[in-house]
Amino acid sequence: MWGFCKRKRGASLIEMGLLIGLIAIVVLSALGSVGGRLQDVFGRVENQIGENLPDNCAAGTFSEEDAETLNTWSGFSYSVKQWCSTTEIALVNKGLTSIPAEISKLTQLQVLDLRRNSLTSLPSGIADLTNLSVLYLNFNQFSTFPTAISKLKNLQYLNLNSNNLTEFPTGVLGLSNLTSLLLSTNSLGDVPAEIGTMTSLENLWLVNAGVRSVPVSVTNLTNLIYLRLDHNAATLTSLDPAICTFGKNLPNPADGLGLAAFSYDTGVCPE
């Protein structure tokens, strides 16, 4: 009897072991299915994140090496995602003498402030910054106009005050969305007649800019608020009377700057 019981008990143990093994197989199979579904979910989330990133990040065209180059140049500690998503860079008075070509990959950039440095040129890839609307380059050492700027069709504000320009930068004439053009403290000479085609302009600053002549076509700029021509007495000896009338009739801006809408040197326009 005891032997029979031992055999029966042993059989039960075997059956129990088989049952446990079967349960384990079912559980592992279920976990594998859940794991597969979770992997699918995580994959979809990653894809959605990729879709929400700027093109240059999602496509992998902005690399760790690009981020390292820009971090070395700027002194920032941005990740790849931070760089390719950034909309504004301000590096004022940093002693910069150049700009790395990798900046052209920052396709979300809207504001670039590089004033008070020692820049003499821009990389051609600046033209790829199609979302750029504000560009500060004042107080640098540009002697010629960076031609890449002429391709920034969404640019609205351009400040090239206090550089070494020796002529009026005709490359700006095709920037149809430009509302502010600041070219003071340069040596511009004659302002071209085509200035009259820049009908979006609201601010035209040519203070102390070595201006020799201003075309009457400037009166076509019907959106103009400020026309600054002061401190050109040594070179600008006369203005067409129509410009004087136009300037004096500019709207008086209530922006608290305390500046005349139209400024000119004594004797150029009749009092």
Side-chain angles (χ1 to χ4, degrees):
M1 174 67 77
W2 175 246
F4 173 77
C5 290
K6 285 178 67 177
R7 286 195 298 272
K8 187 174 182 181
R9 185 179 177 188
S12 297
L13 289 173
I14 292 172
E15 290 172 355
M16 186 178 293
L18 291 173
L19 180 60
I20 292 172
L22 181 60
I23 292 172
I25 291 171
V26 171
V27 170
L28 289 173
S29 177
L31 287 174
S33 177
V34 171
R37 288 198 295 273
L38 287 174
Q39 188 173 8
D40 289 342
V41 170
F42 288 136
R44 287 196 297 270
V45 169
E46 288 177 355
N47 288 338
Q48 289 173 357
I49 291 173
E51 289 173 359
N52 291 330
L53 288 174
D55 291 343
N56 52 346
C57 269
T61 57
F62 191 91
S63 66
E64 293 284 354
E65 290 76 14
D66 295 330
E68 183 178 352
T69 297
L70 289 173
N71 282 334
T72 300
W73 170 69
S74 65
F76 298 164
S77 299
Y78 283 3
S79 66
V80 168
K81 183 178 178 180
Q82 285 175 306
W83 269 119
C84 61
S85 301
T86 194
T87 59
E88 181 174 352
I89 295 175
L91 293 170
V92 179
N93 198 22
K94 298 294 185 181
L96 301 177
T97 58
S98 63
I99 303 172
E102 286 79 1
I103 200 171
S104 66
K105 297 183 179 182
L106 306 181
T107 55
Q108 303 302 303
L109 200 61
Q110 299 175 22
V111 178
L112 182 56
D113 187 351
L114 299 175
R115 64 185 126 170
R116 296 188 181 278
N117 284 290
S118 299
L119 299 172
T120 59
S121 63
L122 298 180
S124 59
I126 287 287
D128 296 330
L129 302 179
T130 54
N131 288 309
L132 198 66
S133 60
V134 176
L135 181 56
Y136 289 92
L137 294 173
N138 42 319
F139 293 97
N140 275 282
Q141 297 178 18
F142 292 97
S143 57
T144 58
F145 178 71
T147 56
I149 294 176
S150 63
K151 298 180 181 179
L152 299 174
K153 299 305 181 183
N154 289 315
L155 199 63
Q156 298 178 31
Y157 178 97
L158 175 60
N159 193 334
L160 277 164
N161 284 345
S162 300
N163 275 279
N164 301 317
L165 298 177
T166 57
E167 60 182 3
F168 188 95
T170 56
V172 304
L173 298 173
L175 298 177
S176 59
N177 290 311
L178 203 63
T179 60
S180 294
L181 178 59
L182 286 73
L183 298 171
S184 298
T185 315
N186 284 287
S187 300
L188 303 181
D190 300 318
V191 178
E194 291 82 0
I195 191 74
T197 65
M198 301 184 71
T199 53
S200 294
L201 276 182
E202 298 176 2
N203 302 290
L204 179 57
W205 289 53
L206 304 173
V207 179
N208 188 33
V211 173
R212 287 193 301 263
S213 66
V214 179
V216 72
S217 61
V218 76
T219 61
N220 295 333
L221 305 180
T222 55
N223 289 311
L224 212 58
I225 297 173
Y226 285 114
L227 176 58
R228 300 300 305 268
L229 297 171
D230 40 315
H231 300 290
N232 286 295
T235 52
L236 183 62
T237 57
S238 65
L239 280 175
D240 189 293
I243 298 176
C244 295
T245 301
F246 170 76
K248 291 177 180 179
N249 289 329
L250 288 176
N252 185 22
D255 59 9
L257 290 179
L259 300 171
F262 176 58
S263 62
Y264 52 90
D265 293 309
T266 304
V268 175
C269 287
E271 297 294 337

